[in-house]
Amino acid sequence: MSPKRAPGSTRSAGSAGSAGSAGSAGSAGSAGKRAAAGPRVGQTVGRFEVEKAWLVDPVLGREGPGEIVVADGILESVVWLKGAEAAGLDDKGVVVAPGFFDLHAHFREPGFEDAETIASGSAAAAHGGYTSVALMPNTSPALDEPGVIERIRAAVRAGGSPVEILAFGAVSAGRAGEQLSAMGELADAGVLGFSDDGAPVRTPKLLRSALLYAGMFGLPVVDHAEDLELSEGAEAHEGYVASILGLAGWPVAGEVNAVSRDLAVLEDVLRDEPRARLHLTHVSTSAALDLVRRAKAAGLPVTCDVTPHHLALADEWIAGARRWSWEALGADGTSRDPWADGVLVATPYDTALRVNPPLRTPADAAACLAALLDGTADAVATDHAPHTVVDKEVEFGRASNGISGMETALGVLLAMVDADRLPLARAIAALTAGPAGIVARWPGVAATPVARPRGLTEGAPADLVVFDRADRWRVTPETLRSKGKNSPLLGRELSGRVLLTIAGGRLAYEDPEAASTEG
Ligand SMILES: [Zn+2]
C-alpha cells in the first residue's frame, strides 16, 4: 500500500514487511510489499489485519474508527477504537464494510459468453466489492428449468471465485410470457425467486399465477415494471431531452401503469396466499416510487431497489451533459436545462447511456435518492448489463439496453456521499443490510444463509470489502474486469478504490498494488 492510504494500513502479521511496525497513521507499514506467499483468488485468507480504519457495520447501525483481524478465513476480531487511539481517524480514508450483495445482475452465461461469463462477472463483482450476486434468468436458454442452474453452478465451481452466485428462475417458460416455467422444480433447485427480467411479467393473469405459485414456496416475483404498449419503440425517457434529440419517448406512465398493475394483483393474491411477495427492481420514476411508498404504508409486502445510474445520471447525458444528477437540479427541485446551462461537453447519443428503464430527469433521480433515504427503496441493485462492442456500436435506438455497472456502483454512491447527498452509512447499508433485509422477507429463504444479516460479525467467515475513499481511480476498459466495457463513466475518476474483497473467508479480489494478505 502506498503511504497516502494511511491511516488505515493493512498488513499481514508475520510478513517481513510489517515486522515491528504497528502500521500506524503515517507509517508505511507493509507499504508496497507483496507478501511472499499471498493467497490466490479462491484461497482461504490465512491472516489479514486492517489497523486504524473506519468500520461500518449496518447491522449494528454503528460506524467509527476500528481495527479488524481475519485469521484462517474467520473474522476473528472487530475492535472499535476510542479516545487517543481513534484520534485523527475519520470516514474519509480506508473503510471496512461487509461485502456487498447485488440483487440484480446479468452474467450472460449460458448463451452470451462474448458479453460476460460467470468467471468474468465474478471477477467484476469482487473488484466492485460484491461478495454475493443474484443473477437474472435471461440467459440462452433461459433459466426456466433446473438444468440451467446446474450449468451455472458448474461454471461457478470451474471459475474458482468465492463470490456467492445466486439466481432467479424465469417466471415463464422461455421467458415468453405465456406459460409458467417449471417453478416448483426451480424452487427445489434453490432459485432465490422468479423474474422475467429483461422484460416485465407479460400479463396480469400470468403475474397472478406467478405470485400465487411463488408464494406457495415462500418466494417472490421480481418484476421489471414496464408497460410494453406505452414503451413500444422507445429510445429514451419521454421528455424535453428526447424531444430535442429526436428520440422516441419511454413515458413515465409506462412504469406507473406497470407498478400499479403489480400492486393491485399482489393485493388480490394475498387473500389466497399470504406468503406472496413482490419485489420491484430498478424503479426509476418519482411517480412510481410514490406508489411503492403508499403501498408500503398500507402494509403490502412489497420491496424495491434503485440503481446507481438512475440515482446519479440523467437523460441530459444523452445530449452530452456530464454533471451528476444533483448538479442538474434547480433551486426549486426541478430539472435544469442543459442547453441553457451550456454544459453539453460530450458527444451526444453515446449508446453506453441506452438502458431500460431509461435514464430519467434529474428530478426523478432526486426522487430515487429521496426513496433511498426514507426507506421506500430498500436497496441499491446494479442491473449490471454487460454487452459486446458490436451490440453497442450502432445507432442509439438500435443499441442493446444496459450499463456495465458492478465495478462503478461504489464509486457512484461515494460521489453522492462526497456531495453530502447521502450519508456513508446509508450508502453501505443499501449495498449490504438493505438487500439482505429484502431477502429476509421472503419466507422460503428467510431462514437460509442467503438472508444472513451481513454485518461485521466476529466469529463468522470473513465477508468484507476494504476500500479507500481518498484513493481515486480512473474507469477505463482496462480497469474494468467485466467483459462489458459499456460504461458511460469511462474516462471518469471515481473515489473509493477497492483494496481487498474477501468472500466467505476466501480471497475474492486484491488490488495488485496493495497486496498484503497471507495465505
Ligand atoms: Zn430489467
Side-chain angles (χ1 to χ4, degrees):
M1 296 188 52
S2 63
K4 72 175 174 154
R5 289 198 188 113
S9 332
T10 61
R11 67 167 183 152
S12 51
S15 86
S18 63
S21 161
S24 56
S27 132
S30 57
K33 294 203 178 111
R34 177 180 275 279
R40 290 192 305 273
V41 165
Q43 288 186 331
T44 298
V45 175
R47 182 93 186 162
F48 174 73
E49 298 178 16
V50 184
E51 301 183 326
K52 296 192 182 265
W54 189 264
L55 311 187
V56 181
D57 185 335
V59 174
L60 295 178
R62 182 171 185 178
E63 61 176 325
E67 304 185 339
I68 61 150
V69 177
V70 175
D72 295 325
I74 302 297
L75 183 53
E76 192 177 71
S77 77
V78 178
V79 178
W80 298 89
L81 299 175
K82 295 198 192 79
E85 285 184 308
L89 288 173
D90 61 23
D91 67 357
K92 304 284 196 291
V94 171
V95 176
V96 180
F100 304 153
F101 181 5
D102 194 354
L103 275 178
H104 187 149
H106 303 270
F107 281 2
R108 307 299 188 203
E109 182 176 357
F112 308 102
E113 288 84 353
D114 286 353
E116 194 79 292
T117 62
I118 298 293
S120 65
S122 298
H127 179 226
Y130 288 89
T131 56
S132 298
V133 181
L135 302 181
M136 285 298 169
N138 59 337
T139 46
S140 181
L143 208 179
D144 62 355
E145 53 92 14
V148 183
I149 199 165
E150 282 314 316
R151 286 174 69 175
I152 290 171
R153 286 185 177 141
V156 170
R157 285 191 297 272
S161 168
V163 171
E164 179 182 38
I165 302 297
L166 309 156
F168 289 103
V171 164
S172 61
R175 292 177 53 256
E178 286 158 16
Q179 310 286 330
L180 288 181
S181 67
M183 289 176 84
E185 291 175 45
L186 286 167
D188 288 345
V191 296
L192 193 54
F194 300 94
S195 180
D196 270 353
D197 186 70
V201 178
R202 185 75 60 83
T203 66
K205 192 175 169 190
L206 186 68
L207 177 66
R208 193 178 198 294
S209 304
L211 280 167
L212 196 60
Y213 284 111
M216 288 165 56
F217 304 109
L219 297 177
V221 171
V222 176
D223 200 24
H224 159 126
E226 174 178 4
D227 181 323
L228 293 173
E229 274 189 47
L230 282 170
S231 66
E232 192 184 359
E235 298 170 304
H237 170 70
E238 181 176 276
Y240 177 66
V241 171
S243 298
I244 292 186
L245 295 179
L247 295 172
W250 197 131
V252 168
E255 187 170 87
V256 171
N257 256 9
V259 168
S260 62
R261 174 200 81 164
D262 288 7
L263 292 170
V265 173
L266 174 66
E267 195 167 3
D268 227 30
V269 169
L270 282 166
R271 289 188 207 108
D272 297 327
E273 179 46 74
R275 293 174 7 130
R277 297 289 181 272
L278 173 68
H279 179 75
L280 296 162
T281 190
H282 55 50
V283 181
S284 64
T285 62
S286 177
L289 287 162
D290 277 341
L291 289 178
V292 176
R293 187 174 284 115
R294 268 182 264 154
K296 284 188 156 191
L300 276 188
V302 60
T303 48
C304 82
D305 65 67
V306 292
T307 72
H309 49 274
H310 289 113
L311 284 162
L313 313 185
D315 56 352
E316 65 173 21
W317 279 50
I318 303 169
R322 285 297 179 270
R323 58 186 169 184
W324 296 117
S325 62
W326 52 92
E327 296 165 346
L329 277 180
D332 58 354
T334 58
S335 307
R336 297 184 57 86
D337 180 340
W339 282 274
D341 288 355
V343 295
L344 303 179
V345 295
T347 309
Y349 305 101
D350 177 359
T351 58
L353 296 160
R354 179 158 157 83
V355 61
N356 189 17
L359 297 176
R360 303 288 186 183
T361 66
D364 285 307
C368 289
L369 175 58
L372 197 58
L373 291 172
D374 76 8
T376 298
D378 304 85
V380 167
T382 66
D383 192 6
H384 174 71
H387 286 292
T388 60
V389 171
V390 286
D391 287 330
K392 282 292 195 180
E393 281 197 348
V394 290
E395 300 92 314
F396 191 84
R398 302 170 77 94
S400 296
N401 281 302
I403 290 173
S404 180
M406 264 190 142
E407 295 165 84
T408 54
L410 173 65
V412 166
L413 292 190
L414 289 176
M416 310 187 83
V417 175
D418 290 341
D420 286 329
R421 298 276 163 171
L422 178 67
L424 176 65
R426 182 70 191 104
I428 298 300
L431 298 168
T432 55
I438 292 171
V439 171
R441 281 184 241 177
W442 300 341
V445 289
T448 68
V450 169
R452 64 187 180 276
R454 295 171 194 267
L456 294 172
T457 311
E458 270 184 354
D463 204 88
L464 53 86
V465 55
V466 182
F467 60 89
D468 189 351
R469 283 187 63 192
D471 195 352
R472 299 177 70 80
W473 62 286
R474 189 176 298 279
V475 185
T476 64
E478 294 74 34
T479 53
L480 295 180
R481 266 66 175 176
S482 171
K483 284 192 178 186
K485 311 302 181 185
N486 50 304
S487 168
L489 299 170
L490 288 182
R492 203 170 181 108
E493 274 200 347
L494 297 174
S495 72
R497 180 193 296 269
V498 171
L499 305 178
L500 181 84
T501 307
I502 301 175
R506 297 157 65 197
L507 184 69
Y509 172 80
E510 188 166 24
D511 184 288
E513 293 169 30
S516 56
T517 54
E518 265 196 358

